[in-house]
Amino acid sequence: MYRTHLCGELRASHAGQTVTLAGWVNRRRDHGGVAFFDLRDRAGIVQVTINPDLPTEMLDLVADVRNEWVLQIEGVAQKRPEGMENPKMETGEVEVIARNVIVLNPSRTPPFMVNTDNDLPDENMRLKYRYIDLRRERLTRNMVLRHKIVKYMRDYLDEKGFIEIETPIMFKATPEGARDYLVPSRIYPGQFYALPQSPQQLKQLLMVAGMDRYFQIARCFRDEDLRGDRQPEFTQLDLEMSFVQRDDVLDLVEGLFTAMLPEVAPHKKLFSSPWPKFSYKEVLERFGTDKPDLRFGMELIDVTDILAKSEFKVFQSALEAGGVIKCIVAPKSAEMSRKELDALTEVAKSFGAKGMPYLAVTAEGVKGSAAKFFKEEELAALKEKTGTGVGDLIVFASDARAIANKTLGGLRLWFRDKLDLADKNMMAFAWVVDFPFFAFNEETQTWESEHHPFTMPKMEDLPKFDTDPGAVLSDAYDMVCNGYETASGSIRIHRRDIQMKMFQLLGLSDEDIQKKFGHMLEAFEYGAPPHGGMAPGIDRLVMLLADEPNIREVIAFPKNQNGRDVMADAPSEVEPKQLKELHIKFS
RNA sequence: GGUCUCGUGGUGUAGCGGCCUAACAUGCGGCCCUGUCAAGGCCGAGAUCGCGGGUUCGAAUCCCGUCGGGACCGCCA
């Protein structure tokens, strides 16, 4: 038996017990006579005291011990002497007086320190030695939190009558969505499996199969460029329910997360219960994005009416082109430096704006790039409508509605970060519903499906399909939290005729439809129940609950932003023999 | 595909035309030290400044290219 207790679980109540611990040396403090090791395991850190009355051979052995060596310590747990407690440690009231020290394995000097989170090494260094980096208390905590969240989900859904079913990782290419990761077939030259972008089709087929309520902690794969909140492989709580309407799904998921929050992250506050529900249109107008951060105000304000007759050319030309004038009011930002404003203008341009007019409201009057073009009555009306006071900065966007919204939505988040407007312990869950079914592609001048082709349009909008496609809404919904899309779902099509029409609208030929989706259409002919579901992203959720800035910190072995596994150095070249077996040749 | 930004001892940073024979912290090695907990004190080793080219009397520093990282835009049905 290697150990009787975990390092991190020892408390004053263990005093007097003989214990055996095993773990890593987190830190050593050698005072010449007495010496201390902080011994670490997954549960935490405890102080081990080496007294000079131990046998000389053991003291010699102990003198060589360094950080990250793996030790087994046999000793007596003891309440620390009066005044020697360390309130910063959970185990700070206790220490283990060593009687025997066994080196289970020495360690090379690690490439970086894991006993401090100050001055973190370069991330690729951390990723290369991920097995060391994960020893960090912070990352260990993230892994444990992730486990708790997934366990809670499993238990909750089991309680609600769901069953967990695994679906294949090797499936069929669905090139209509993101790019697929392909797996060449050895047995069928020139043919490929694809890794699933989500188990979408499979879970729908499980509903056809009568599984009624399914879930899966599902790995999904998408071959698109990475971001701080996007990995090429990621995990979703994939769930699907039969005989449900939209709100049945939303209520289930809202119930799950609302119940889970205090259990897994008690320091987090729920912004609102029940969760707010916005239409896609409303959320875009008010927050400039379909994944709003509700933890702070600074909503977008439409001032087109007030400035309709503005003499400012920038506004005039935007309005002539059929655009709008909107603004946000940043508190206490009137004194921003020219340099900061220039930087901010660049941010605005990155969202498609041509410039960024602004007004700084100061005690001496309004200042700013466009100040002289504003008439007195316009200023008065502006202040009235926006509630602007002295010290505030009004930032405008005048452009096509979509660009104005997007720009101000982006700037709103910029101010959130700069002015620290969002409570980090708040979880502002909300629903976004009533998404448009089609999006107009300016480039190709055609209507394109906004979702995957299995999403159900609102039945009452069916007649508008051919006459007014822009007005058709879908039975799709997103769960958002703190500015992230944390889940996405829909009521699905379960009728063959509607599904067929969808594929045709997407521009697929009858032959393509049969080849790619014949199995779905056929399944719908054999008694498909009405069904719908949702897929909350686990990585993003854990990231938010762990207060991490990106999802790599909550994934055990993530890829870097360029999709490389820098630890194993993948992707990598393979043996010519392997290529030959797969019938692959490079030109 | 694009924009911005960063590559300096093991690690994290400073230096941004000559004071650089490259500084600081930490880690590492040695010595001292019986109660520390980011232990402390003294001594020491360790970087031709990502790579290639150019400008210059002189380049870590300026320019061009290239490789690698990060943030964002496009993309993510």
Side-chain angles (χ1 to χ4, degrees):
Chain A
M1 187 170 61
Y2 273 111
R3 57 186 178 186
T4 59
H5 294 76
L6 297 174
C7 299
E9 73 182 3
L10 289 186
R11 293 293 181 272
S13 57
H14 291 91
Q17 292 185 32
T18 298
V19 300
T20 307
L21 302 174
W24 288 260
V25 175
N26 191 60
R27 219 181 267 280
R28 58 189 284 269
R29 294 177 292 281
D30 187 344
H31 287 241
V34 69
F36 304 98
F37 291 151
D38 289 340
L39 200 66
R40 182 190 68 233
D41 60 21
R42 200 188 69 204
I45 295 171
V46 70
Q47 171 164 288
V48 174
T49 304
I50 311 288
N51 279 321
D53 55 2
L54 289 169
T56 317
E57 315 89 70
M58 198 174 296
L59 290 176
D60 288 346
L61 178 75
V62 157
D64 287 336
V65 169
R66 292 294 180 271
N67 284 346
E68 301 310 314
W69 284 36
V70 185
L71 303 184
Q72 184 182 29
I73 305 270
E74 191 203 318
V76 179
Q78 170 187 290
K79 208 165 170 346
R80 290 199 191 186
E82 186 77 26
M84 300 300 170
E85 301 88 357
N86 183 350
K88 281 185 277 186
M89 295 175 80
E90 295 206 46
T91 61
E93 291 188 1
V94 69
E95 62 186 341
V96 175
I97 310 298
R99 275 209 306 246
N100 191 18
V101 177
I102 296 169
V103 175
L104 296 176
N105 210 349
S107 167
R108 286 171 60 183
T109 301
F112 49 78
M113 300 281 83
V114 301
N115 54 23
T116 172
D117 284 344
N118 300 332
D119 293 329
L120 279 182
D122 176 79
E123 192 174 9
N124 274 288
M125 178 68 59
R126 295 175 55 204
L127 291 176
K128 182 175 177 188
Y129 297 99
R130 189 63 162 178
Y131 45 86
I132 300 175
D133 200 46
L134 284 166
R135 291 178 192 167
R136 229 174 258 293
E137 213 182 340
R138 165 181 166 198
L139 292 201
T140 300
R141 205 182 326 119
N142 290 351
M143 293 303 119
V144 173
L145 174 64
R146 188 176 178 123
H147 160 75
K148 282 185 181 161
I149 288 170
V150 169
K151 175 166 169 24
Y152 193 96
M153 289 172 166
R154 285 201 158 103
D155 292 345
Y156 188 93
L157 291 172
D158 173 68
E159 189 71 19
K160 299 285 180 192
F162 285 74
I163 57 173
E164 182 169 9
I165 302 175
E166 293 176 77
T167 55
I169 291 296
M170 291 197 291
F171 193 53
K172 189 180 169 80
T174 51
E176 282 70 27
R179 271 188 289 267
D180 286 314
Y181 281 101
L182 296 177
V183 180
S185 163
R186 174 179 58 84
I187 302 171
Y188 302 99
Q191 298 186 18
F192 296 82
Y193 303 97
L195 310 185
Q197 298 177 24
S198 92
Q200 183 61 37
Q201 295 183 38
L202 294 153
K203 68 174 168 179
Q204 288 192 241
L205 294 170
L206 286 174
M207 293 304 102
V208 179
M211 291 299 118
D212 203 285
R213 291 183 159 205
Y214 137 96
F215 81 96
Q216 177 181 199
I217 308 299
R219 193 65 60 87
C220 307
F221 306 85
R222 291 178 192 174
D223 187 5
E224 296 294 341
D225 285 352
L226 277 44
R227 284 288 197 295
D229 63 349
R230 263 161 42 188
Q231 281 275 304
E233 52 178 310
F234 59 98
T235 309
Q236 292 187 334
L237 169 62
D238 195 55
L239 60 90
E240 196 76 6
M241 307 159 79
S242 289
F243 308 112
V244 289
Q245 290 163 328
R246 182 192 79 186
D247 287 348
D248 297 318
V249 180
L250 301 196
D251 289 349
L252 181 277
V253 174
E254 183 169 329
L256 163 61
F257 281 82
T258 302
M260 180 174 72
L261 195 64
E263 296 299 320
V264 301
H267 62 292
K268 294 284 181 186
K269 291 169 286 187
L270 192 59
F271 174 74
S272 153
S273 186
W275 301 358
K277 197 177 285 175
F278 301 98
S279 74
Y280 174 83
K281 196 176 166 193
E282 179 184 4
V283 87
L284 225 59
E285 287 301 319
R286 288 176 58 184
F287 303 99
T289 171
D290 60 359
K291 43 187 181 190
D293 189 342
L294 302 175
R295 292 173 296 172
F296 67 108
M298 276 188 74
E299 292 190 21
L300 281 55
I301 302 163
D302 194 325
V303 289
T304 310
D305 51 342
I306 295 173
L307 298 171
K309 296 202 169 70
S310 172
E311 285 165 13
F312 190 29
K313 278 229 177 67
V314 172
F315 289 165
Q316 281 175 9
S317 57
L319 293 179
E320 277 161 24
V324 297
I325 305 169
K326 298 183 75 166
C327 67
I328 50 174
V329 179
K332 301 187 185 75
S333 297
E335 303 297 332
M336 264 172 71
S337 71
R338 183 60 202 237
K339 198 176 159 191
E340 276 183 303
L341 286 162
D342 284 347
L344 189 56
T345 305
E346 288 308 308
V347 176
K349 283 180 179 169
S350 79
F351 293 107
K354 292 171 201 72
M356 192 198 74
Y358 58 88
L359 280 180
V361 182
T362 70
E364 298 87 55
V366 297
K367 298 177 184 168
S369 53
K372 60 184 170 188
F373 298 108
F374 283 84
K375 298 190 210 77
E376 274 306 319
E377 60 267 30
E378 285 174 345
L379 281 174
L382 201 56
K383 284 184 189 167
E384 165 81 25
K385 180 158 187 181
T386 60
T388 309
V390 170
D392 295 341
L393 179 76
I394 310 178
V395 176
F396 295 93
S398 60
D399 216 310
R401 186 174 290 276
I403 293 175
N405 284 342
K406 185 171 180 174
T407 302
L408 293 178
L411 296 179
R412 182 173 172 268
L413 295 185
W414 188 91
F415 280 107
R416 171 194 67 185
D417 296 335
K418 176 169 187 288
L419 302 174
D420 198 20
L421 297 173
D423 179 350
K424 294 200 169 35
N425 283 324
M426 187 70 79
M427 295 291 280
F429 288 108
W431 296 110
V432 179
V433 300
D434 295 342
F435 281 81
F437 199 82
F438 296 101
F440 192 70
N441 186 324
E442 297 286 344
E443 237 172 84
T444 57
Q445 293 288 301
T446 54
W447 290 95
E448 290 178 354
S449 173
E450 181 84 334
H451 312 281
H452 59 67
F454 309 108
T455 299
M456 190 74 166
K458 295 239 177 194
M459 287 309 277
E460 61 267 31
D461 291 338
L462 277 179
K464 297 187 217 156
F465 251 63
D466 303 307
T467 53
D468 186 9
V472 178
L473 298 179
S474 65
D475 230 339
Y477 33 85
D478 278 0
M479 167 181 145
V480 300
C481 184
N482 297 3
Y484 290 92
E485 179 194 313
T486 45
S488 177
S490 63
I491 297 299
R492 328 294 184 183
I493 297 168
H494 66 280
R495 272 171 45 188
R496 187 200 147 99
D497 57 332
I498 302 176
Q499 187 66 71
M500 191 69 194
K501 177 145 185 137
M502 272 310 306
F503 289 139
Q504 286 164 345
L505 279 165
L506 277 171
L508 289 169
S509 69
D510 283 1
E511 193 195 337
D512 261 358
I513 293 172
Q514 207 45 49
K515 222 165 63 186
K516 290 174 177 164
F517 301 110
H519 57 288
M520 295 297 288
L521 292 170
E522 194 176 8
F524 291 165
E525 292 176 55
Y526 287 100
H531 62 286
M534 174 141 234
I538 305 251
D539 310 284
R540 282 181 195 170
L541 179 77
V542 179
M543 170 184 88
L544 287 170
L545 291 176
D547 294 313
E548 290 291 357
N550 70 63
I551 63 172
R552 296 186 295 271
E553 304 290 357
V554 300
I555 296 172
F557 298 101
K559 312 286 187 286
N560 73 9
Q561 189 173 206
N562 293 320
R564 287 206 75 80
D565 179 326
V566 291
M567 180 178 65
D569 195 30
S572 58
E573 287 173 0
V574 297
E575 301 289 331
K577 177 166 174 278
Q578 289 180 290
L579 288 178
K580 202 173 162 206
E581 283 173 347
L582 293 169
H583 323 285
I584 292 174
K585 260 191 201 151
F586 292 104
S587 51

